[in-house]
Amino acid sequence: MTKPPFRADHVGSFLRPKALIDARAAFKEGRIDKAELRAVEDEAIRGVVAMQEGLGLKGITDGEFRRTYFHTDFLLQLDGVEETGGTQVKFHNHGGTDLEYAPPVMSITGKVQHAKDIQRADFEFLASVTSQTPKVTIPSPTMLHFRGGRDAINADAYPDLDQFYQDLSAAYRAEIASLADAGCRYLQLDDTNLAYLCDDTQRENARKRGMDPDELPRLYARIINDSIRDKPADMTVCVHLCRGNFRSSWAAEGGYEPVAETLFNELKVDGYFLEYDDPRSGDFAPLRHVPKGKTVVLGLVTTKLADMESADDVKARIDEAAKFMPLDQMALSPQCGFSSTVHGNDIAMEQQSAKMQLVIDVARDVWGEL
């Protein structure tokens, strides 16, 4: 495939090398300045780009090495957005234990505006150090709504929520225009909320926040569509659905059926990165809703466990998915990033590379290309 998403692709984040973790700690403690931190980030990004290119990948990210969280570092650069503490979330893991953690909560304290370029300089650096297609990953605009709802949006700034949705989409359009002007042609929106709406507990929590979980997928499709409406015709936009990814743990589970029709037919994106690494993501039946012209990247190789899947098992699952949608509209990736937060999943660097190599080997066997 000459246009993304590619047959062998990935969600975007990679485990941070020790030198980068140490530099972040030094910056936080005031022992190095921002320029020195960025120099360390640059060197780490050169390394992760070389790793990806060495494996043969065509879509290349910076590993999200300049971020602490996949979403907050971006969202806090919009005017009107502030971090207001954390909300305790119970994350689950394959060991059967729960991990209590309070990820940051974003609140809308004023009018949302795009006051400056957010990812442009980072994209330009990435593009300068890769010969392949650079991909930018940013949080979905829905990340500023679902977790807090009406209570997290200042009523003086936004007595009418429709105006908030319009301003939010306009801010995203401005950022996407900036990236497009810099040459970006592969963009991914990371969205936990559409995946959370597949979970009965999360749906009930949304009701408690005054939201209708049956209507939210349509609202979110409208916000995303409005955000990307002016993208260049040759820019590929994908959405990645995630049920939570913190230190090999997750916060939600459930198949895609509750959101499938809206996700695949109302959301005007080119492709979908979908978690399908274990039973918590349900079966492949929702893929029957995928229309022609869209690609589903099956996340069949887990980033949460060090245990390696067998190539034959992954191929068998691709065959199973092909009962519901055409094989030539599919691709393969790990189920999520390896480090959606700076903490990283509980696997080693060599296991990360082995997982990516498995994706590449299977893609070549199934489709004969990357």
Side-chain angles (χ1 to χ4, degrees):
M1 297 176 75
T2 58
K3 183 181 178 182
F6 300 104
R7 294 294 190 197
D9 217 315
H10 62 99
V11 169
S13 68
F14 288 102
L15 297 172
R16 276 55 160 182
K18 185 177 185 302
L20 179 55
I21 293 172
D22 290 346
R24 281 193 167 279
F27 175 71
K28 187 175 182 179
E29 295 166 6
R31 291 185 282 115
I32 64 173
D33 62 22
K34 193 170 184 177
E36 290 172 304
L37 173 61
R38 193 165 183 88
V40 176
E41 290 172 346
D42 288 351
E43 188 60 27
I45 289 167
R46 289 187 184 94
V48 80
V49 167
M51 181 272 286
Q52 293 169 76
E53 292 187 347
L55 288 169
L57 291 166
K58 294 183 177 181
I60 308 295
T61 72
D62 64 6
E64 298 182 4
F65 279 4
R66 302 193 197 275
R67 300 187 202 171
T68 302
Y69 295 91
F70 81 94
H71 60 312
T72 62
D73 301 73
F74 179 94
L75 296 172
L76 287 171
Q77 295 189 65
L78 295 171
D79 279 4
V81 180
E82 294 183 13
E83 183 179 333
T84 54
T87 297
Q88 201 73 14
V89 177
K90 189 174 289 187
F91 285 80
H92 317 288
N93 57 45
H94 290 90
T97 58
D98 289 334
L99 181 65
E100 296 283 348
Y101 183 62
V105 172
M106 304 291 98
S107 293
I108 309 305
T109 58
K111 290 290 188 180
V112 174
Q113 295 184 69
H114 182 268
K116 60 183 178 181
D117 295 334
I118 300 175
Q119 289 290 139
R120 182 167 181 149
D122 296 345
F123 167 78
E124 289 174 338
F125 177 80
L126 175 62
S128 76
V129 297
T130 182
S131 60
Q132 299 298 322
T133 302
K135 176 167 83 167
V136 174
T137 63
I138 62 175
S140 167
T142 71
M143 298 300 297
L144 283 179
H145 181 260
F146 182 76
R147 292 186 181 182
R150 169 77 266 188
D151 289 346
I153 301 170
N154 183 281
D156 291 330
Y158 290 109
D160 179 1
L161 281 180
D162 281 340
Q163 187 60 56
F164 163 68
Y165 304 144
Q166 291 173 29
D167 286 355
L168 176 59
S169 299
Y172 265 75
R173 287 197 300 274
E175 176 65 14
I176 292 170
S178 167
L179 287 167
D181 184 63
C184 175
R185 290 300 181 269
Y186 190 9
L187 180 69
Q188 177 181 298
L189 303 176
D190 293 315
D191 194 305
T192 64
N193 305 320
L194 287 165
Y196 278 29
L197 287 169
C198 300
D199 180 287
D200 288 340
T201 299
Q202 296 290 346
R203 290 171 65 85
E204 182 57 31
N205 289 341
R207 289 188 185 95
K208 292 176 181 177
R209 296 194 295 273
M211 299 182 283
D212 182 345
D214 294 323
E215 290 301 319
L216 282 176
R218 295 182 182 88
L219 170 64
Y220 290 164
R222 176 161 63 88
I223 292 172
I224 293 172
N225 290 344
D226 201 25
S227 297
I228 65 175
R229 73 183 189 197
D230 296 335
K231 75 176 184 71
D234 61 346
M235 176 186 279
T236 295
V237 176
C238 295
V239 64
H240 164 234
L241 269 64
C242 175
R243 293 165 177 78
N245 187 40
F246 174 69
R247 291 180 53 196
S248 295
S249 301
W250 64 89
E253 54 189 57
Y256 295 99
E257 201 64 50
V259 302
E261 287 192 71
T262 299
L263 177 69
F264 296 128
N265 291 287
E266 294 185 29
L267 193 56
K268 297 177 182 178
V269 296
D270 303 291
Y272 306 86
F273 284 76
L274 300 184
E275 294 186 311
Y276 264 122
D277 59 320
D278 63 25
R280 69 194 167 86
S281 299
D283 60 24
F284 294 115
L287 299 181
R288 71 190 185 277
H289 295 290
V290 178
K292 292 182 179 180
K294 292 191 174 186
T295 301
V296 171
V297 186
L298 297 173
L300 298 175
V301 175
T302 190
T303 66
K304 288 180 163 58
L305 296 174
D307 297 344
M308 285 295 297
E309 297 85 348
S310 77
D312 286 343
D313 285 348
V314 175
K315 291 175 192 175
R317 297 209 67 207
I318 293 172
D319 288 341
E320 186 181 345
K323 296 175 183 176
F324 298 96
M325 67 173 292
L327 181 64
D328 65 3
Q329 287 180 242
M330 295 182 200
L332 180 65
S333 76
Q335 133 271 340
C336 196
F338 292 91
S339 189
S340 298
T341 75
V342 72
H343 314 84
N345 283 348
D346 295 335
I347 65 172
M349 288 285 188
E350 58 267 24
Q351 294 159 340
Q352 172 182 257
S353 295
K355 295 274 186 178
M356 287 307 312
Q357 187 64 61
L358 175 62
V359 167
I360 288 166
D361 292 345
V362 170
R364 281 201 177 104
D365 286 349
V366 172
W367 292 285
E369 62 180 0
L370 297 182

